[in-house]
Amino acid sequence: MNFNMSKCLEAFSLVLDFAEMDYFKINLNHSRRVAYISLNIAKAIGLSEDNQKDLFALSLLHDSGFTLSGLKLKPGFKMFELMPDHCIEGEKVISYLPFLMSRKDVIKYHHENHNGSGFFGISGDDIPFLSQIIHLADFLDINFNLAQLDSQKRVEAKHYVVRGKNKLFSPDVVDAFMSFAHKERFWADLLFYNIIEVLERIAPQIIYEYSWKDLIPISETFMKIIDSKSKFTYRHSRGITEMIEIMSDFYGFNTEKKLKLHITANLHDLGKLYIPNSILEKPDKLGSVELSEIRKHSYFTKLVLDKISGFKDISSWASNHHEKLNGKGYPESLTGEELDFESRLMGVIDICQALTEERPYRKGLTQREVIKIISDMANGGLIDKQITIDVGNVLGSRIR
Ligand SMILES: [Fe+2]
Ligand SMILES: [Fe+2]
Ligand SMILES: [Fe+2]
């Protein structure tokens, strides 16, 4: 099938940005604004179409290492400790994505300064050119709050770029930026209510002929980011993926459905990236406001996956994993008649996997305890009875 990678990455960037917002309080859509500024610079310089495509993808993913690097930090860490590490972790993310594998070091060096005063001490043209572009775009958005209309800030931003020529920024990139920085249109496009529409309009179309099998490693890369959001869920999606594989064989699903369910399992908690770690890792029982925040994660999973063409089934199966047969689940309060077999299966498996994992307020449960809880839930009309029996029988030996 034709797979639109631009749309997919734009959609994923929505939730990836939340992690950075959580750490740095940057306005939402940071990655989109960086992609927009980078593309404008690339056009001014006359970069080839292929370079523009890669630059667009890399800008959207430039901070995808934040979640992975955050996981390794001890409580009370200093923000600067995250910085070099997110470059290294982000570089690893790119190295797993088949369509960007040839773009070595662009993410690793996206914070390097032209004069060599950055984290890794690389200078001048030793810094990959695409990194030089992303660096300027990123710097502007972090320091000048470009999502909001502030004429004074624009003037300051332009001065800053000019002063940074040959020091922070490459002279070619600065000249390219200044060639369009006088245009009102450029700054207005960056405003928070314009950027999504504008970027969709100017984004290069990155279309690949992909099979479902080709999408497995890509979804797996995002699965690693999702699982690393919290130390309590570091194996959650991976565990569900393993369980769904076994249950797919048990039910004799065809290859296409197996692959789609595998991708579903990898991405079902994509919306967790939206939830601040202060809630995910809170040591006490959560209050009602925090619980309602947590419940939004499957809504965000749907918001993102609905944007990806060809993902209709995957989006429903993934975002329905907290729905209940009695209509008391979320985010849609669907009822038994509205929940298909795959959604019900995802729901049961998600509960089993979550119960075996440790949480801040409780230990992981034993096999006996898990089976007792899911049987009670099935008897109470919350989850599918037959699936609960099947899962209990097939996976029983795998659960502690
Ligand atoms: Fe960064
Ligand atoms: Fe950034
Ligand atoms: Fe979930």
Side-chain angles (χ1 to χ4, degrees), residues 72 83-93 107-108 120:
K72 292 189 251 159
M83 295 307 282
D85 212 45
H86 90 282
C87 301
I88 294 169
E89 291 299 335
E91 181 66 30
K92 282 189 208 156
V93 170
I107 298 301
K108 184 172 175 193
F120 300 98

Side-chain angles (χ1 to χ4, degrees), residues 62-63 86 110-111 138:
H62 77 280
D63 280 334
H86 90 282
H110 80 274
H111 282 285
D138 186 37

Side-chain angles (χ1 to χ4, degrees), residues 236 268-269 272 297-298 318 321-322 330 350:
H236 179 74
H268 78 286
D269 267 346
K272 277 254 171 82
H297 80 276
S298 49
H321 72 275
H322 289 293
Y330 58 91
D350 185 71

Side-chain angles (χ1 to χ4, degrees), residues 25-171:
K25 313 297 169 225
I26 303 180
N27 272 312
L28 186 59
N29 287 320
H30 168 66
S31 302
R32 281 191 166 106
R33 288 189 297 277
V34 171
Y36 172 79
I37 300 168
S38 297
L39 272 181
N40 274 279
I41 295 172
K43 285 188 176 134
I45 288 173
L47 278 195
S48 71
E49 218 169 283
D50 280 350
N51 275 326
Q52 286 193 31
K53 284 182 182 176
D54 285 357
L55 177 65
F56 176 72
L58 289 159
S59 316
L60 287 174
L61 295 171
H62 77 280
D63 280 334
S64 56
F66 263 121
T67 324
L68 290 150
S69 60
L71 186 71
K72 292 189 251 159
L73 294 165
K74 306 261 175 309
F77 66 90
K78 302 273 182 303
M79 211 44 98
F80 69 82
E81 293 174 50
L82 262 174
M83 295 307 282
D85 212 45
H86 90 282
C87 301
I88 294 169
E89 291 299 335
E91 181 66 30
K92 282 189 208 156
V93 170
I94 301 306
S95 74
Y96 300 133
L97 296 173
F99 56 99
L100 287 173
M101 271 171 188
S102 63
R103 289 302 184 171
K104 228 177 127 14
D105 290 341
V106 172
I107 298 301
K108 184 172 175 193
Y109 296 137
H110 80 274
H111 282 285
E112 292 309 286
N113 296 327
H114 188 75
N115 62 6
S117 61
F119 301 132
F120 300 98
I122 311 290
S123 62
D125 285 339
D126 287 344
I127 306 168
F129 195 57
L130 300 191
S131 316
Q132 299 177 24
I133 297 176
I134 293 173
H135 179 41
L136 188 144
D138 186 37
F139 198 96
L140 273 183
D141 193 55
I142 291 173
N143 290 290
F144 294 96
N145 196 15
L146 302 180
Q148 273 154 17
L149 184 70
D150 184 333
S151 323
Q152 187 51 36
K153 279 262 165 67
R154 291 178 190 176
V155 175
E156 286 171 25
K158 281 193 268 186
H159 282 156
Y160 203 91
V161 170
V162 173
R163 279 204 309 275
K165 190 172 175 176
N166 290 312
K167 296 180 194 109
L168 293 175
F169 311 122
S170 130

